[in-house]
Amino acid sequence: MENQRGVALSGLLFWSIVLVLVAVLGMKVAPTYIEYGKILKDAKATVAKAGPDSTVADVRRTFDKFAEIDMLDFPSSQLDVTKDGGRIVIEFGYEKRIHLFWNVSLLIDYKGSTAGS
């Protein structure tokens, strides 16, 4: 008699449920990560466009223009604009709460800076 090979129905159901839960988590987290990437890209573009003699208000207006183009719901008032050695540095941080199911949520703390660019 030959040995049978394959997957049991219970194993198939278990791994299917695990795969579906991971996929749903990925679909809920991916948009927030993409939004973070857009905010960081807009902050870097703002620094590249702003001159060394730009004021904080000028930097915030420039960021708002970039954010409007990318359709971001992130106000420039949450940006921390400083100068480091004559170079403009923009830092930001915010929390994103993602509802998963019932009373379970995922809290992600995003922080970004243009200091490394």
Side-chain angles (χ1 to χ4, degrees), residues 1-6:
M1 183 177 217
E2 294 183 32
N3 292 335
Q4 291 184 356
R5 294 180 167 225

Side-chain angles (χ1 to χ4, degrees), residues 78-93:
Q78 291 185 353
L79 298 176
D80 184 24
V81 181
T82 59
K83 283 193 177 184
D84 183 24
R87 220 179 81 189
I88 296 175
V89 175
I90 297 176
E91 295 178 341
F92 62 92

Side-chain angles (χ1 to χ4, degrees), residues 8 19 25 27 29 34 37 41 55 58 64 81 91 102 105 107:
L19 183 65
L25 180 65
M27 287 187 290
V29 170
I34 291 169
K41 176 188 69 93
T55 64
D58 293 337
D64 283 337
V81 181
E91 295 178 341
W102 294 297
S105 296
L107 180 67

Side-chain angles (χ1 to χ4, degrees), residues 46-59:
T46 300
V47 168
K49 186 173 182 180
D53 57 345
S54 297
T55 64
V56 173
D58 293 337
V59 171

Side-chain angles (χ1 to χ4, degrees), residues 42 61-74:
D42 288 348
R61 272 195 300 273
T62 304
F63 178 82
D64 283 337
K65 289 177 185 176
F66 282 117
E68 184 179 347
I69 291 169
D70 282 339
M71 293 184 281
L72 293 175
D73 189 24
F74 187 81

